[in-house]
Amino acid sequence: MSYSGNVRHLSQPCINGDIFSSHTERKSRFMKWMNKLFKGGSNRGPVNVGNPSPQFIGDGSMVSRAPVRSLDNRSRSDKEKEELDRAIALSLAEGLKKPNGYGWQPSNNEHLSKSHEDDFRPPYPSYMPSEYNPTEYRICGGCNRDIGCSSYLGCMGTFFHPECFRCHACGYPITEPEFSVSEKESYHKSCFKDLTHPKCEVCFQYIPTNKDGLIEYRCHPFWSQRYCPAHEHDNTARCCSCERLESVNVRYISLGDGRSLCLECMESAIMDTGDCQPLYHSIRDFYEGMNMRLDQQIPMLLVERHALNDAIDKEKHGFHHMPETRGLCLSEELTVASVQRRPRIGGNRFIGMRTRHQKLTRKCEVTAILVLYGLPRLLTGSILAHELMHGWLRLNGYRNLNPEIEEGICQVLAHMWLESEIMPGLKSMPSTSSSSYGSKKGGISRVDNKLGEFFLHQIANDASPAYGGGYRAANAAVTTYGLRRTLDHIRLTGSIPL
């Protein structure tokens, strides 16, 4: 581990002292030392056979063990001379191996004369300690500070203080021995699972894998609500207006006829015929603003689900492909039970509804317009706009139209009315919100605006040939030729202009 700051190598400097005796004195002392050494070593035990190797003792003094006696017949003086020469050679060889600045420092070097300093120059330069500047530091990848002597963690080629190694998701330090890494970011395993393994937005559990080990879930195309596939078959309530599923922490309101309503849709729900009259008249004004006046006063009633289904069964005209029909332009004479007093909420359901049977007589091509009760204002309005277009076509002589033509142009009018409500001024169309329910609350709310966008999305992306395909064809014609020219072409040819 490197230390923080500048690190210095502290070494005792060598001062190469001058010779304080003559060359003769040095040689004499060396000879006496060697003779004494060899004499003292003759009483020791045998050593390794072969050439004696010098050894360092203490402060670096060199000694050489005496050679083992041999049967050599040379004289003692010749042997000693040979040993002496060998010792001198070994001493010189050891001196060459010493690093720069390694030497003997005399204790009285402060008294050396200057003349002797000039006579002697050391064979090697003295060692001068220099400052050590390390080229590498351990920089914390979290705080970008030097780690120094502190404990640290290493991950992905980066070092961290333990408290700086944090989860990219929650921001808390990672102390577990195992963690997850994604795109060079570290995560707690639990946090990474929350990010990558989707949770069901209905039961709030991790969406289970299928038999192939893959995560399989359903997702609403507009709201992006993700949920387990099992919730499509386990009687989980679905809002009859916005199609969102009921989650475990929210309770939907039951309408008593098999339908449920979420709390957001219930805020603007129209519950009885009296409450719907202002909206109905404002949509008639919308038609009149586009020079499509309805001369006949067509009755409009809000009805329960079973009453609407009974009317559909008896109606000879019209095309109904949807599993849940929400409106009907009636041309037959019927007796219908309409909702006269809005129910009140009791627990998680509506109670106290009052209905009245009303006989509908035919005075013109259109007997009445029926709309399902309990839907939000914008959805109710789009249904009314659609059904009023059916009435306008019949009252103005458009007969025996193909379902794709009639339903398609009716959907165009519903789409145009919704746009005028949530995007006023987009196509210079009259808005009806000034005289409708929305104006009582000071304009359309954010929730209603989002619901309106969803209803527009539903119309534009309907998959059925009549309502979806018909709308797209009719809308393209209206965009190209205008509404009036498109209607004239339909009257003359019975088809949508290309």
Side-chain angles (χ1 to χ4, degrees), residues 133-351:
N133 295 312
T135 58
E136 267 188 45
Y137 297 96
R138 288 194 178 95
I139 302 299
C140 177
C143 65
N144 294 322
R145 296 180 180 177
D146 184 19
I147 293 177
C149 301
S150 306
S151 58
Y152 65 90
L153 302 173
C155 176
M156 301 176 292
T158 307
F159 302 104
F160 297 89
H161 294 107
E163 65 275 11
C164 294
F165 187 53
R166 295 176 177 266
C167 175
H168 186 66
C170 68
Y172 287 98
I174 299 175
T175 58
E176 296 82 3
E178 294 183 358
F179 57 96
S180 299
V181 178
S182 177
E183 296 182 356
K184 297 183 179 181
E185 299 291 350
S186 303
Y187 300 86
H188 292 111
K189 294 186 72 175
S190 57
C191 293
F192 189 71
K193 186 175 183 180
D194 287 338
L195 290 175
T196 58
H197 193 133
K199 277 189 175 182
C200 175
E201 297 178 23
V202 174
C203 63
F204 299 110
Q205 302 297 318
Y206 288 113
I207 296 177
T209 56
N210 59 19
K211 61 181 180 180
D212 298 322
L214 302 176
I215 299 174
E216 180 182 355
Y217 59 90
R218 303 289 184 265
C219 184
H220 193 280
F222 182 82
W223 303 106
S224 299
Q225 184 186 35
R226 294 183 296 188
Y227 54 90
C228 303
H231 296 314
E232 292 186 336
H233 314 289
D234 61 1
N235 296 323
T236 299
R238 185 187 295 271
C239 178
C240 63
S241 168
C242 66
E243 299 181 349
R244 286 176 287 189
L245 291 176
E246 180 186 47
S247 61
V248 294
N249 59 348
V250 177
R251 284 290 174 265
Y252 286 4
I253 304 299
S254 173
L255 293 173
D257 55 6
R259 296 180 297 147
S260 296
L261 202 62
C262 73
L263 299 181
E264 289 185 358
C265 291
M266 192 185 67
E267 287 183 5
S268 62
I270 298 179
M271 304 301 295
D272 60 44
T273 302
D275 285 345
C276 193
Q277 292 302 321
L279 177 61
Y280 176 56
H281 290 296
S282 70
I283 296 174
R284 290 176 63 99
D285 293 340
F286 173 79
Y287 271 78
E288 187 172 350
M290 295 190 298
N291 296 319
M292 297 173 65
R293 180 182 175 86
L294 290 160
D295 295 327
Q296 300 293 328
Q297 292 296 322
I298 304 173
M300 188 279 303
L301 301 175
L302 254 63
V303 297
E304 295 181 276
R305 188 182 193 181
H306 65 85
L308 183 62
N309 291 335
D310 290 342
I312 291 172
D313 292 338
K314 296 175 183 178
E315 174 64 24
K316 298 178 181 178
H317 301 284
F319 178 80
H320 309 284
H321 83 290
M322 303 178 70
E324 180 66 45
T325 301
R326 295 166 172 171
L328 176 64
C329 182
L330 188 64
S331 59
E332 302 295 325
E333 293 187 351
L334 296 174
T335 300
V336 178
S338 64
V339 179
Q340 294 297 309
R341 189 181 72 178
R342 66 179 294 130
R344 64 181 185 276
I345 299 176
N348 64 334
R349 61 187 301 113
F350 284 109
I351 58 175

